[in-house]
Amino acid sequence: MELEELTHIDLFEPPTRTTASGAGNRRGRLCTTGCGRPTAVCLCDHLPSPPIETSTKIIILQHPHEARHKLSTVPLLSKSLLHSQTLIGRRLRRGLSPFLDSLHTLAVSNSNIRPNSRRALFLFPSCESSTAIELEEFVSRSRIDGFDLENLVLIVFDGTWKHAKEMLVSSLPFLSNFAVHASLKCDFGVDGGSIYNSELILRREPFGGCVSTMEAVARTLRVLEPNGVAIEEQLLRVLRAMVMFQASYLKPMKPRPKLVNKKMMRKMSDVEELKNENSA
């Protein structure tokens, strides 16, 4: 199968969504026809309608534990983008996605395809097992080589940073055959912030530049898509709404006295007594 033929394969079914009218506003009830969130924090009115159409296809590998996390941004991301697919698992491998299998088969059968001209990217900071190229540099090199950036496939990992790294490493034997490792700019020397740190701390990040899955995809599409700036803003608008809803339900933290164990208290008491004896 030629490379051009694959550009016409679309195995992504558009997500269906209707409004949450009549769902009620009782606490604990879920919006079953729209965003899937509790009706008290329903985001149906903030989701793009219709979902955003992009030339880039997005595949999200979500860790099974993250799929149960209340603050996961993946469900909102999937409902906001037309060409988005979520896979639940701990690694990418043959048999998990027919679409990725087709890319793998094409790359293996066409060993003369240059790495820079591959149609898939997987997004993650550089690590010991794999060195990433910064997204802007990948785009710049592709344009210099005359490679068309349309119809790219973006693969992202969703989970805690520990889980996501494990997912990446275990997926490399499969991914490295047909995808380029790319990353957004990160500062490993700076302690991380959180989702919209200036507005609300939701989840702590390991180092500067780390962001939620939804924000990472938004930033990437800003670079890859012709109308990327508008797409990024639409996705971030949904994320801001989610953050603000969560802010209204967080209880203020009460200051707690620092706990000191008994052994430490005895040691401090002994030191104080010794000082008093010496002064006498």
Side-chain angles (χ1 to χ4, degrees), residues 46 48 52 54 76-81 196 214-219 221-222 228-241:
H46 299 274
I52 303 167
T54 60
L76 296 177
L77 184 59
S78 299
K79 293 177 185 296
S80 298
L81 296 173
Y196 287 96
M214 189 167 188
E215 189 173 353
V217 171
R219 290 187 182 186
L221 293 179
R222 175 191 177 99
V229 175
I231 292 174
E232 179 189 41
E233 181 53 37
Q234 284 181 284
L235 293 177
L236 294 187
R237 192 180 302 130
V238 177
L239 184 56
R240 289 190 189 102

Side-chain angles (χ1 to χ4, degrees), residues 77-243:
L77 184 59
S78 299
K79 293 177 185 296
S80 298
L81 296 173
L82 185 64
H83 300 305
S84 173
Q85 182 184 41
T86 302
L87 306 173
I88 306 297
R90 297 173 186 266
R91 67 185 177 98
L92 291 171
R93 52 177 173 75
R94 288 192 67 87
L96 187 63
S97 164
F99 182 71
L100 292 183
D101 286 352
S102 66
L103 295 181
H104 183 275
T105 301
L106 176 67
V108 171
S109 61
N110 293 271
S111 57
N112 59 335
I113 296 178
R114 292 174 302 163
N116 281 357
S117 64
R118 292 175 181 173
R119 293 187 55 246
L121 298 173
F122 59 97
L123 196 65
F124 199 82
S126 291
C127 60
E128 302 84 7
S129 305
S130 181
T131 302
I133 180 174
E134 284 195 3
L135 183 63
E136 290 81 0
E137 184 179 351
F138 169 80
V139 171
S140 177
R141 287 186 186 181
S142 298
R143 287 173 177 162
I144 291 174
D145 293 342
F147 174 61
D148 189 359
L149 291 173
E150 290 188 0
N151 300 300
L152 281 173
V153 179
L154 174 65
I155 302 166
V156 294
F157 301 92
D158 184 66
T160 64
W161 283 97
K162 179 178 181 294
H163 285 157
K165 186 175 181 180
E166 292 172 352
M167 293 158 70
L168 166 71
V169 172
S170 59
S171 300
L172 280 176
F174 177 70
L175 275 180
S176 58
N177 288 294
F178 65 92
V180 177
H181 185 178
S183 73
L184 298 170
K185 290 182 179 180
C186 295
D187 191 343
F188 295 91
V190 177
D191 288 339
S194 62
I195 302 174
Y196 287 96
N197 191 49
S198 60
E199 299 176 32
L200 177 67
I201 295 178
L202 287 181
R203 301 178 71 176
R204 189 73 181 174
E205 307 293 0
F207 44 81
C210 292
V211 292
S212 69
T213 300
M214 189 167 188
E215 189 173 353
V217 171
R219 290 187 182 186
T220 303
L221 293 179
R222 175 191 177 99
V223 178
L224 297 180
E225 292 289 316
N227 57 334
V229 175
I231 292 174
E232 179 189 41
E233 181 53 37
Q234 284 181 284
L235 293 177
L236 294 187
R237 192 180 302 130
V238 177
L239 184 56
R240 289 190 189 102
M242 172 188 146
V243 170

Side-chain angles (χ1 to χ4, degrees), residues 29-71:
R29 291 192 62 180
L30 296 179
C31 173
T32 56
T33 57
C35 64
R37 290 166 56 83
T39 54
V41 289
C42 176
L43 287 172
C44 288
D45 291 340
H46 299 274
L47 294 176
S49 183
I52 303 167
E53 185 169 4
T54 60
S55 64
T56 305
K57 293 176 174 58
I58 298 94
I59 293 183
I60 305 162
L61 180 66
Q62 187 175 42
H63 193 279
H65 292 176
E66 193 67 18
R68 300 190 295 268
H69 201 289
K70 294 180 181 179
L71 293 182

